[in-house]
Amino acid sequence: AQLVVTHAGTHEVSVIDAPALLRKVAATAVDAATTQKLSADLTALLGIRRRVPLLGQGPRSVAVAGQRAWIAGYFSDSLESLALDDKALRPALVALGPRLPETPERRGERHFNDASLCFQRWQSCATCHSWDARVDGFNWDLLNDGIGNPKNAKSLLLTHRTPPSMSTGIRDSGEAAVRAGFRHIQFAAQTEEVATAVDAYLKSLRPVPGPQLVAGKLSPAARRGSELFNDGLVGCTLCHGGRDFTDLHSYEVGTANAREPATTRFDTPTLVEVWRT
C-alpha cells in the first residue's frame, strides 16, 4: 500500500510506503514529547518516500485506483496518470482539451501559487496569504524585518486600492509590496512580467458576501451594529469610513510591542471581509 500526496506549489507528488510509515509511527511511544520529536524529524520519511516531478502545474487533487494514481493539475487543466507499480514512476500527461489562452489575471494567480519561483522552492505567496490571496489565520515571523516580531498575515483584497501596504505602511503601494515580497520573502529576483501579472490577479479580486448575512441581508443585530458604526459620536468612521472602510492614513494606536518603537504608526486597514479574520 502506498500513500500519495500532492505538492501543489512545487508540482510534485510524494509516493510513500504506507506500511513502513505506520511501523515508524508505531515504534514511537505515544506521548507528547516523542510525538513532537517525530513530527519535527526532517529525516522521518527518508528511505520510504519518493518525490515525483509532474508534467502539469498545480496538482490540487489525487485519486488512486488499484496501482494507478490520477492527479489533477489545477493550472495546467490536465490529468496525469502515474503507475505506482512502475519503479521508474514516470507520469503521463492526459490533455483534457485544447489549451486556452492564459489571461494576465490567470497567469498572476498561477505565479502567486507557484513555489518554484522561490529560492530553494520552499514557499509561494499563497503560503502565508492562502490560495485565494486572503488570510491563513497565522502569525509569521519573517526575516525581512528581523527576528522576534511576528505579524498576522493580511488579506490582499483591495491592497492595490488602499495604499500604503503592510501593517506599518512600509511599502507605499501594492505594486511595491508585490516586488518586495519576491525579493525579501522569497529571496528571488523576478521579472517585471511576473510581478505585473501578480498585480493583475490581485486587482481582479472581489469581495464576497459575509457568512452571517440572512437571506443576503443584514440581520436585525447587524443593522443595529451598522447604526452604531456610522454614529459620529461612536467614531468608527473617523478612520474606517468610505467605500473601502479606511481613510488611508496611519496612526499611533498604542499597540506597538516591546520590539517596536512606542511611536510606531499603523496603517488603517480596510474592514472589507474582516469576518475572515
Side-chain angles (χ1 to χ4, degrees):
Q2 298 182 88
L3 178 65
V4 183
V5 181
T6 62
H7 304 291
T10 56
H11 324 300
E12 301 168 293
V13 292
S14 278
V15 179
I16 303 169
D17 183 337
L21 176 61
L22 292 175
R23 287 194 297 270
K24 180 166 288 193
V25 173
T28 304
V30 184
D31 64 69
T34 53
T35 300
Q36 176 61 33
K37 289 178 182 177
L38 180 63
S39 65
D41 181 3
L42 299 181
T43 67
L45 296 177
L46 191 63
I48 64 173
R49 187 264 300 266
R50 292 179 63 183
R51 293 184 71 154
V52 182
L54 297 173
L55 304 171
Q57 285 207 323
R60 291 188 177 180
S61 58
V62 60
V64 176
Q67 287 297 311
R68 188 167 295 275
W70 295 91
I71 304 110
Y74 180 81
F75 288 107
S76 54
D77 194 24
S78 62
L79 284 177
E80 293 187 57
S81 172
L82 183 65
L84 300 176
D85 55 357
D86 177 4
K87 291 183 178 181
L89 288 179
R90 289 186 296 263
L93 194 67
V94 181
L96 298 180
R99 188 163 187 174
L100 300 176
E102 189 176 51
T103 65
E105 292 80 7
R106 177 70 167 175
R107 188 179 310 114
E109 182 185 9
R110 177 165 57 83
H111 293 327
F112 188 88
N113 287 272
D114 192 349
S116 68
L117 298 178
C118 172
F119 177 65
Q120 294 186 337
R121 300 163 59 91
W122 66 286
Q123 66 174 352
S124 70
C125 305
T127 300
C128 299
H129 294 288
S130 186
W131 62 271
D132 57 358
R134 264 61 172 196
V135 293
D136 64 0
F138 293 106
N139 291 329
W140 292 86
D141 191 2
L142 302 173
L143 300 180
N144 64 319
D145 57 358
I147 297 175
N149 50 351
K151 302 290 193 303
N152 189 235
K154 293 183 65 176
S155 170
L156 299 183
L157 175 68
L158 305 182
T159 191
H160 285 70
R161 204 166 81 188
T162 58
S165 291
M166 317 298 282
S167 59
T168 55
I170 60 173
R171 307 298 177 207
D172 60 8
S173 67
E175 288 84 357
V178 166
R179 288 148 185 80
F182 278 119
R183 187 167 59 254
H184 299 300
I185 306 301
Q186 296 193 25
F187 304 102
Q190 289 305 327
T191 65
E192 183 61 18
E193 180 183 8
V194 168
T196 299
V198 173
D199 288 335
Y201 166 58
L202 297 179
K203 290 176 182 178
S204 75
L205 300 176
R206 296 293 179 267
V208 300
Q212 300 301 321
L213 294 176
V214 178
K217 297 181 180 180
L218 295 178
S219 67
R223 287 197 297 271
R224 293 194 298 272
S226 177
E227 292 175 1
L228 286 170
F229 186 89
N230 290 286
D231 188 327
L233 295 178
V234 177
C236 300
T237 55
L238 292 177
C239 299
H240 294 286
R243 66 169 181 169
D244 294 329
F245 293 89
T246 173
D247 62 0
L248 306 180
H249 292 299
S250 299
Y251 299 95
E252 293 177 29
V253 290
T255 58
N257 65 33
R259 291 180 176 270
E260 296 167 325
T263 56
T264 298
R265 299 171 68 88
F266 291 95
D267 176 53
T268 302
T270 174
L271 299 184
V272 177
E273 285 196 2
V274 71
W275 54 268
R276 287 184 180 271
T277 64

